[in-house]
Amino acid sequence: MRTNFPHIRLRWHRVGSATAVTAALVLAGFGTAVHADATTSSKVTWAATPCATPKKTGELACNSLRVTGGTTAFQKARGITPKAADAATPSGYGPSDLQSAYGLTAAAAANGSGETIAIVDAYNDPNAEADLAKYRSYYGLPACTSASGCFKKVSQTGSTTSLPSSDAGWSEEISLDLDMVSAIAPNAKILLVEAKSATMANLGKAVNEAVTLGAKFVSNSYGGSESSSDTSYDSSYFNHPGVAITVSAGDEGYGAEYPAASKYVTAVGGTKLSTSSTSRGWTESVWKTSSTEGTGSGCSSYDAKPSWQTDTGCTKRMIADVSAVADPATGVSVYDSYGVTAGWYTFGGTSASSPIIAAVYALAGTPGSSDYPAQYPYKHTSSLNDVTSGNNGSCSTSYFCTATSGYDGPTGWGTPKGVSAFTG
């Protein structure tokens, strides 16, 4: 099993000139990093959630960051003055914002019934259903409960009673994932599969269990360094024809992660999402905070290139395929209560973009039984918002790290413009 030392090393680098004490806090997920945000013309502060730093060697990192202060893009656009960290009211984009940005308002209202979207995470969130209810009630979404059969939480073995140990950091990640699925596909059922730890073996078994239980859409918001074992993980955990499996591309800037590098999944990059005076009403660029924080992308060292990928600079699997909002400064609203003050938080990271895209697939309908849905966007590139500005670092082959017209690594073919790009 791979170690995750590269993640730890990069998170130390992200601290920059901060003191050693602050650096240690940020590494643990409790510190605050300050970032200038051009969209809001103010300082927005955020930190990696605790699960972004693996507890043990061999565990993978979640790809989420939580805003801790300042005025977000959502607040600035609406003239909301309370600081984003007060938890009393939402300070990030909600369902109507996200549906508007991605042309999904009509589809979100009409589609998704009968579909099951699975969320795979590590450890247990004991408040998952209650927190989900708070989010959905606040935004006027239909209730989704275990009693009604809409929501189900199981372990990686499918048990509803023998669940993993609880973990506050992964609970933040779980709340983010559940809320993003709800925001985009409020009529779909939700299956939360909790792995007993964050190793690839246990998370992979949770993916398999999600598919066994009937989910045709499976979101994964975690990753780690590539390794020579990845091709075996591909065949063991991710080779599921007829199932749309999405994976976040990573939050540490340019560089490939696994399982985003799996040739069987849709790798999801991250953008900065801002309101604009365009006919769309929104504009996007590559999410980048620094050389060590931003959406992941890159050419895999191990995974073979899928047949539908035709870029010529990378002979193996190229990350990403598509993208969605991930910048914490233009982040999304989440309700969470386990291990934190119960209330509203704003999150970013490609942990937000992966469940968003999984839910778009669900709105588009059940994939063909023998299809690998990762190829769908490649057939309908004109049905995506092409992101053409920004970069996530430095690279020798420009499109690996720099947005351009058409395909590029950080944003793939772009972001959803309705559901057409996510059908066969």
Side-chain angles (χ1 to χ4, degrees), residues 51-77:
C51 58
T53 302
K55 291 181 174 182
K56 303 173 183 177
T57 298
E59 290 200 342
L60 305 187
C62 67
N63 286 310
S64 56
L65 305 102
R66 177 162 60 86
V67 170
T68 54
T71 305
T72 64
F74 169 85
Q75 293 176 299
K76 187 74 173 180

Side-chain angles (χ1 to χ4, degrees), residues 289-302:
T289 303
S290 69
S291 61
T292 57
E293 186 178 276
T295 184
S297 71
C299 182
S300 173
S301 298
Y302 301 99

Side-chain angles (χ1 to χ4, degrees), residues 154-169:
V154 300
S155 72
Q156 69 188 53
T157 63
S159 174
T160 58
T161 56
S162 180
L163 298 170
S165 59
S166 298
D167 182 271

Side-chain angles (χ1 to χ4, degrees), residues 114-208:
E115 304 290 8
T116 297
I117 306 170
I119 297 296
V120 170
D121 279 312
Y123 300 103
N124 177 45
D125 177 3
N127 297 357
E129 184 172 357
D131 288 351
L132 177 64
K134 290 279 190 180
Y135 180 89
R136 295 178 72 108
S137 175
Y138 181 90
Y139 287 111
L141 305 177
C144 186
T145 66
S146 55
S148 70
C150 175
F151 176 76
K152 187 174 185 179
K153 180 172 74 170
V154 300
S155 72
Q156 69 188 53
T157 63
S159 174
T160 58
T161 56
S162 180
L163 298 170
S165 59
S166 298
D167 182 271
W170 279 95
S171 291
E172 293 184 33
E173 174 65 48
I174 289 169
S175 291
L176 168 61
D177 293 341
L178 296 178
D179 290 356
M180 289 308 95
V181 165
S182 298
I184 300 300
N187 296 320
K189 295 180 180 180
I190 302 176
L191 171 66
L192 172 60
V193 187
E194 298 177 330
K196 67 179 181 180
S197 75
T199 64
M200 187 66 262
N202 286 323
L203 288 162
K205 289 174 183 176
V207 171
N208 288 343

